[in-house]
Amino acid sequence: MDNFFLLLLVGLMIGTVGTLIGAGGGFILVPLLILVHPEFSAEITAAISIAVVAGNAISGSIAYARAGRIDFRAGLVFAAFTIPGSILGVYATRFIPKMLFDIVFGFLLIILAVFLFINKKRPAAEEQIQEEQSRWKNHLLKDHVGNVYNYTYNQTLGILISTGVGFLSPLLGIGGGIIHVPALVRLLKFPIPIATATSHFILAIMASVSVVVNLVNGNYSSDYVVRLVLGLGIGVLFGAQIGAYLSHKLKGSVIIKALAICLALVGARIIFAHF
C-alpha cells in the first residue's frame, strides 16, 4: 500500500463499512496490514489501526450525533470505563508474539460471527423481565427523522463489557466496536440503530486515548507509518459520512448479518495464512 491514492480508497472503504456497522473498521484494516505488511510487529499494526479507527469514529460520531441516534448518557458512562483498559492494552501489545497475535485475532472474529448467527432472543417469563428491568436504566430517544426508541439496559453489565472491550481494543487494534455492537444489541438489548451509533461514540473516545498512549510510546515515529495513517485516515473521514448515511437506508438485521459474514471471512483468512 505505497500509493497514496490507493490508501485514500482503502480508507474510504474502511470508513464506510466500519461506520455502517458501528465497528470502526479495525477488523478490516488489521488483517489487511497483517497480509500486506507481515514485517510489522503486533504493536505497530495495532497502533496504525487504532489511529485510523479513531479518525473514523470521530467522523462517524459527528454524523450520528446530527441524526440524533447516539445515547450520550450510556455512551459517556461506558466510554469512561474503557479508558483504563485501553491504556493497559496499548502496553500489552509489546509482549505478544506476532503469530499468536494473528491467530487469537482470527479466532476472536470467527467466534463473534458464530455468536451473531446463532444467538436468538429467547422469551423470558414476564415476572423475570419485570424484576430485571426494575434494576435497569430506561431511556426514551427520538432521532431527527422521528423514529422513537424506548429501551432498558443493564448498566452494570454494560460497564463490565466496556472495561473488557477497552483492553482488547488497542491490544488487537480493532477499535472494539466489533465487540461492542453485538454486546449492546444481544446482551444489553439496545435497538440496532442506537447500538451502532452509540458504539461509534464510545469508540471515538476510547481510540483517541489509545492514540495518545501510542504517540507517547513512539509507535508513530516512522515516516512510513505516519504516511499510512494519514492516507488511510483522510479516506475514512469521508467514508464514515457515507456509512452513517447508508445506516438510515438498511434494516438492522441486514447490518448484523453483514457484520457476521465479514467477521467469519476475515478471521478464517488470517488463521489459514499461518498454515
Side-chain angles (χ1 to χ4, degrees):
M1 293 194 296
D2 292 330
N3 186 290
F4 197 77
F5 182 70
L6 177 60
L7 290 175
L8 292 175
L9 289 178
V10 172
L12 186 71
M13 181 267 294
I14 290 172
T16 300
V17 176
T19 302
L20 177 62
I21 60 179
F27 74 100
I28 302 174
L29 183 54
V30 169
L32 185 60
L33 289 172
I34 289 173
L35 296 174
V36 177
H37 289 291
E39 75 279 6
F40 283 171
S41 66
E43 187 177 12
I44 296 302
T45 297
I48 294 171
S49 178
I50 206 67
V52 175
V53 165
N56 185 18
I58 292 170
S59 178
S61 293
I62 292 172
Y64 279 131
R66 289 173 179 165
R69 289 190 170 185
I70 297 177
D71 185 337
F72 286 103
R73 184 172 63 182
L76 287 171
V77 172
F78 294 161
F81 281 89
T82 65
I83 292 174
S86 67
I87 295 173
L88 291 174
V90 170
Y91 285 103
T93 56
R94 63 184 61 183
F95 302 109
I96 300 179
K98 175 66 174 171
M99 179 178 288
L100 178 62
F101 172 86
D102 294 353
I103 293 176
V104 168
F105 182 80
F107 275 112
L108 174 63
L109 296 187
I110 293 175
I111 291 170
L112 285 171
V114 172
F115 174 78
L116 290 178
F117 266 116
I118 69 175
N119 187 56
K120 305 293 183 183
K121 294 181 179 179
R122 299 174 181 174
E126 185 176 348
E127 297 80 4
Q128 179 185 352
I129 294 175
Q130 292 177 349
E131 180 182 354
E132 289 179 345
Q133 292 187 350
S134 67
R135 302 190 299 270
W136 291 8
K137 297 288 184 180
N138 180 264
H139 198 186
L140 180 66
L141 191 150
K142 183 177 181 180
D143 67 18
H144 291 175
V145 295
N147 297 314
V148 177
Y149 304 94
N150 189 5
Y151 54 98
T152 58
Y153 61 92
N154 186 331
Q155 181 172 274
T156 301
L157 178 59
I159 288 172
L160 292 174
I161 293 170
S162 297
T163 303
V165 168
F167 178 74
L168 289 175
S169 174
L171 187 68
L172 298 176
I174 58 175
I178 207 164
I179 304 172
H180 238 154
V181 172
L184 289 173
V185 173
R186 300 301 190 189
L187 301 180
L188 300 185
K189 314 305 181 185
F190 273 59
I192 293 174
I194 305 303
T196 53
T198 303
S199 170
H200 231 56
F201 172 67
I202 296 169
L203 183 55
I205 298 173
M206 175 176 58
S208 296
V209 172
S210 298
V211 169
V212 172
V213 178
N214 273 296
L215 190 61
V216 171
N217 287 346
N219 292 333
Y220 303 119
S221 57
S222 165
D223 290 341
Y224 184 66
V225 168
V226 172
R227 188 170 183 273
L228 283 177
V229 170
L230 287 177
L232 293 167
I234 293 172
V236 300
L237 292 179
F238 293 98
Q241 300 299 312
I242 298 172
Y245 172 78
L246 292 177
S247 70
H248 300 291
K249 308 296 181 182
L250 298 178
K251 292 182 179 180
S253 59
V254 173
I255 294 175
I256 291 297
K257 288 179 180 178
L259 172 60
I261 292 171
C262 290
L263 289 174
L265 291 175
V266 172
R269 179 65 185 88
I270 293 174
I271 293 171
F272 289 131
H274 289 281
F275 296 97

